[in-house]
């Protein structure tokens, strides 16, 4: 079973993915995390990705598709696609890439969150650079201020979480990623979680878990 989490930046895809990993043994495949690691390691791929990511822009399809293709060589089942695909071109390519490794997308879960809430969430977001868990300075505080509960690392703000960059990311989401909802909504296995921000994270998780049966 492979799952895709669709939703705007800050809609809670990463948080739900964490739960699916911890409780059901799924593997989180976040193209954003993977590319941030390349940036930290200062690889040439990382340097190329950073040009786009730090501006809040999408990394070109060709680069991201190649990263996914490479990843699917070693993992093609029990994956949670978090942040990929983000364009129609990527979605079409993903269908081909999955077929090549005898796999498919079984569930597409759209976590629908209003824009105003997204802005509040991202403006207070701090993340652990080691385990990638995200916190919020008001609504999801770590036990010790500025320190990750899991591994004691100092929490950081993502460079693209500044208000200007978030505005660019949300525009990009509306223009490039939202059309994917139409694309997937007619396919079997599509689940729409409406007004997800009004629901407790655990309730959203339970809805996802039920959809996996
Ligand atoms: P968020 O969902 O909060 O935007 P991500 O970690 O998924 O966080 O993405 C951060 C950035 O990484 C994006 O703004 C974009 O620059 C780049 N990125 C991640 N996934 C993709 C993708 N599938 N296609 C193009 N760019 C991507």
């Amino acid at each position: 079973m492979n799952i895709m989490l669709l939703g705007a930046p800050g809609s809670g895809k990463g948080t739900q993915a964490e739960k699916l990993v911890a409780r059901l043994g799924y593997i989180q495949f976040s193209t954003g995390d993977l590319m941030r690691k390349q940036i930290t390691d200062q690889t040439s791929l990382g340097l190329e990705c950073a040009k786009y990511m730090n501006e809040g822009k999408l990394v070109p399809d060709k680069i991201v598709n190649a990263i996914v293709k490479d990843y699917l060589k070693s993992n093609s089942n029990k994956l949670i696609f978090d942040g990929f695909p983000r364009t129609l071109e990527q979605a079409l390519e993903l269908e081909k890439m999955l077929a090549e490794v005898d796999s498919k997308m079984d569930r597409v879960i759209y976590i629908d969150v209003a824009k105003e809430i997204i802005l509040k969430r991202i403006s207070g977001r701090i993340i652990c650079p080691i385990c990638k868990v995200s916190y919020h300075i008001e609504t999801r505080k770590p036990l010790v201020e500025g320190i990750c509960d899991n591994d004691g690392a100092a929490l950081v703000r993502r460079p693209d979480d500044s208000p200007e960059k978030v505005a660019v990311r949300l525009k990009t989401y509306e223009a490039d990623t939202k059309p994917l909802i139409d694309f997937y909504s007619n396919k079997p296995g599509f689940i729409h979680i409406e007004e997800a921000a009004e629901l407790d994270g655990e309730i959203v998780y339970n809805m996802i878990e039920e959809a996996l049966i």
Side-chain angles (χ1 to χ4, degrees), residues 1-2 7 26 41 58 76 88 113 115 128 137 139 141 143 149 153 156 158 161 164 170 176 186-187 199 206 212:
M1 167 91 77
N2 289 314
Y26 276 86
D41 295 347
L58 290 184
S76 56
L88 204 50
V113 171
K115 205 167 161 182
C128 172
I137 49 172
T139 55
K141 293 182 185 175
L143 296 172
D149 295 348
V156 295
R158 273 174 40 183
D161 273 353
E164 313 82 68
L170 286 178
D176 296 332
N186 304 316
K187 295 183 184 277
L199 307 170
N206 289 337
L212 303 182

Coordinates of all heavy atoms in Angstrom, one line a residue, residues 1-2 7 26 41 58 76 88 113 115 128 137 139 141 143 149 153 156 158 161 164 170 176 186-187 199 206 212:
M1 N 0.8 -1.2 0.0 CA 0.0 0.0 0.0 C 0.9 1.3 0.0 O 1.7 1.4 0.9 CB -0.9 0.0 1.3 CG -1.6 1.2 1.6 SD -3.2 1.4 0.9 CE -4.2 0.4 1.9
N2 N 0.7 2.1 -1.0 CA 1.3 3.4 -1.0 C 0.3 4.5 -0.8 O -0.8 4.4 -1.3 CB 2.1 3.7 -2.3 CG 3.3 2.8 -2.5 OD1 4.1 2.6 -1.5 ND2 3.4 2.1 -3.6
G7 N -1.8 18.5 0.1 CA -2.3 19.6 0.9 C -1.3 20.7 0.8 O -0.1 20.5 0.4
Y26 N 5.0 2.8 8.1 CA 5.2 3.3 6.7 C 6.6 4.0 6.6 O 7.2 4.3 7.7 CB 4.1 4.3 6.4 CG 2.8 3.6 5.9 CD1 1.9 3.1 6.8 CD2 2.7 3.4 4.5 CE1 0.8 2.4 6.3 CE2 1.6 2.7 4.1 CZ 0.6 2.2 4.9 OH -0.5 1.5 4.5
D41 N 24.3 18.7 3.2 CA 25.5 18.0 2.8 C 26.3 18.8 1.7 O 27.4 18.3 1.3 CB 25.2 16.6 2.3 CG 24.6 15.8 3.5 OD1 24.7 16.2 4.6 OD2 24.0 14.7 3.2
L58 N 9.2 26.2 -6.7 CA 9.3 24.8 -6.9 C 10.6 24.5 -7.6 O 11.1 25.2 -8.5 CB 8.2 24.2 -7.8 CG 6.8 24.2 -7.2 CD1 5.8 23.6 -8.1 CD2 6.8 23.5 -5.8
S76 N 9.6 0.8 -3.0 CA 8.4 1.1 -3.8 C 7.1 0.6 -3.1 O 6.1 0.6 -3.8 CB 8.6 0.3 -5.1 OG 8.8 -1.0 -4.9
L88 N 1.2 18.7 -12.2 CA 0.6 17.7 -13.0 C 1.6 16.9 -13.8 O 1.5 15.6 -13.9 CB -0.4 18.4 -14.0 CG -1.5 17.6 -14.6 CD1 -2.3 16.9 -13.5 CD2 -2.5 18.5 -15.4
V113 N -7.1 22.5 4.3 CA -6.9 23.5 5.4 C -7.0 24.9 4.9 O -6.4 25.2 3.9 CB -5.6 23.3 6.2 CG1 -5.3 24.4 7.2 CG2 -5.6 22.0 6.9
K115 N -6.6 28.8 4.1 CA -5.3 29.6 3.9 C -4.9 30.4 5.2 O -3.7 30.5 5.5 CB -5.6 30.6 2.8 CG -4.3 31.0 2.0 CD -4.7 31.6 0.7 CE -3.6 32.4 0.2 NZ -4.0 33.1 -1.1
C128 N 13.0 20.4 13.9 CA 14.3 19.8 14.4 C 15.1 19.4 13.1 O 14.6 18.7 12.2 CB 14.0 18.5 15.1 SG 15.5 17.6 15.5
I137 N 5.5 27.5 18.1 CA 5.9 28.2 19.3 C 4.7 28.5 20.2 O 4.9 28.7 21.4 CB 6.5 29.6 18.9 CG1 5.7 30.4 17.9 CG2 8.0 29.4 18.4 CD1 6.2 31.8 17.6
T139 N 1.3 26.5 19.7 CA 0.3 25.4 19.8 C 1.0 24.0 19.9 O 0.3 23.0 20.2 CB -0.6 25.4 18.6 OG1 0.2 25.4 17.4 CG2 -1.5 26.6 18.5
K141 N 4.3 23.2 21.6 CA 5.6 23.6 22.1 C 6.4 22.3 22.5 O 5.9 21.4 23.0 CB 5.4 24.4 23.4 CG 4.8 25.8 23.2 CD 4.7 26.5 24.6 CE 4.0 27.8 24.4 NZ 3.7 28.4 25.6
L143 N 9.0 20.3 25.1 CA 9.0 20.3 26.5 C 10.0 21.4 27.1 O 9.7 22.1 28.0 CB 9.5 18.9 27.0 CG 8.5 17.8 26.7 CD1 9.1 16.4 27.0 CD2 7.2 18.0 27.4
D149 N 12.2 17.4 21.6 CA 11.9 16.4 22.6 C 12.6 15.1 22.3 O 13.0 14.3 23.2 CB 10.4 16.1 22.6 CG 9.6 17.3 23.1 OD1 10.2 18.3 23.6 OD2 8.4 17.2 22.9
A153 N 18.2 18.2 19.9 CA 18.8 19.2 19.0 C 18.2 20.6 19.1 O 17.0 20.7 19.5 CB 18.7 18.7 17.5
V156 N 15.1 24.9 14.7 CA 15.4 26.0 13.8 C 14.2 26.4 13.0 O 13.2 25.6 12.9 CB 16.6 25.6 12.8 CG1 17.9 25.4 13.5 CG2 16.2 24.4 12.0
R158 N 12.8 27.2 9.2 CA 13.2 27.0 7.8 C 13.4 28.3 7.1 O 12.6 29.2 7.3 CB 12.2 26.1 7.1 CG 12.4 24.7 7.3 CD 11.3 23.8 6.8 NE 10.8 24.2 5.5 CZ 9.8 23.6 4.9 NH1 9.2 22.6 5.5 NH2 9.3 24.0 3.8
D161 N 10.3 29.7 5.6 CA 9.1 29.9 6.4 C 8.9 31.4 6.7 O 8.1 31.8 7.5 CB 9.2 29.1 7.7 CG 8.6 27.7 7.5 OD1 8.1 27.4 6.4 OD2 8.7 26.8 8.4
E164 N 7.4 36.4 3.5 CA 7.4 36.7 2.1 C 7.5 35.4 1.3 O 6.9 35.2 0.2 CB 8.7 37.5 1.7 CG 8.9 38.8 2.5 CD 9.7 38.4 3.8 OE1 10.9 38.0 3.7 OE2 9.1 38.5 4.9
L170 N 2.5 29.7 -1.2 CA 1.0 29.5 -1.3 C 0.5 29.8 -2.6 O -0.4 29.1 -3.1 CB 0.3 30.4 -0.2 CG 0.5 29.8 1.2 CD1 -0.2 30.7 2.2 CD2 -0.1 28.4 1.4
D176 N 0.0 25.6 -9.1 CA 0.6 24.3 -9.7 C 0.1 23.1 -9.0 O 0.0 22.0 -9.7 CB 2.1 24.4 -9.5 CG 2.8 25.5 -10.3 OD1 2.2 25.9 -11.3 OD2 3.8 26.0 -9.9
N186 N -11.1 12.1 -9.2 CA -11.9 11.1 -10.0 C -11.3 9.7 -10.0 O -11.8 8.8 -10.6 CB -11.9 11.6 -11.5 CG -12.4 13.0 -11.6 OD1 -13.4 13.3 -11.0 ND2 -11.7 13.8 -12.4
K187 N -10.2 9.5 -9.3 CA -9.6 8.2 -9.3 C -10.0 7.5 -8.0 O -10.3 8.1 -7.0 CB -8.1 8.3 -9.3 CG -7.6 9.0 -10.6 CD -6.1 9.0 -10.6 CE -5.5 9.7 -11.9 NZ -5.5 8.9 -13.0
L199 N -10.3 20.0 13.1 CA -10.3 18.7 13.7 C -9.0 18.5 14.5 O -8.0 19.0 14.1 CB -10.4 17.6 12.7 CG -11.6 17.6 11.7 CD1 -11.4 16.6 10.6 CD2 -12.9 17.4 12.5
N206 N -7.1 9.3 12.6 CA -8.0 8.2 12.6 C -8.7 8.1 11.3 O -9.0 7.0 10.8 CB -9.0 8.3 13.8 CG -8.3 8.0 15.1 OD1 -7.3 7.4 15.2 ND2 -8.9 8.6 16.2
L212 N -7.4 3.4 5.1 CA -6.4 2.5 4.6 C -6.9 1.1 4.6 O -6.2 0.2 4.1 CB -5.1 2.6 5.5 CG -4.5 3.9 5.6 CD1 -3.2 3.9 6.4 CD2 -4.1 4.5 4.2

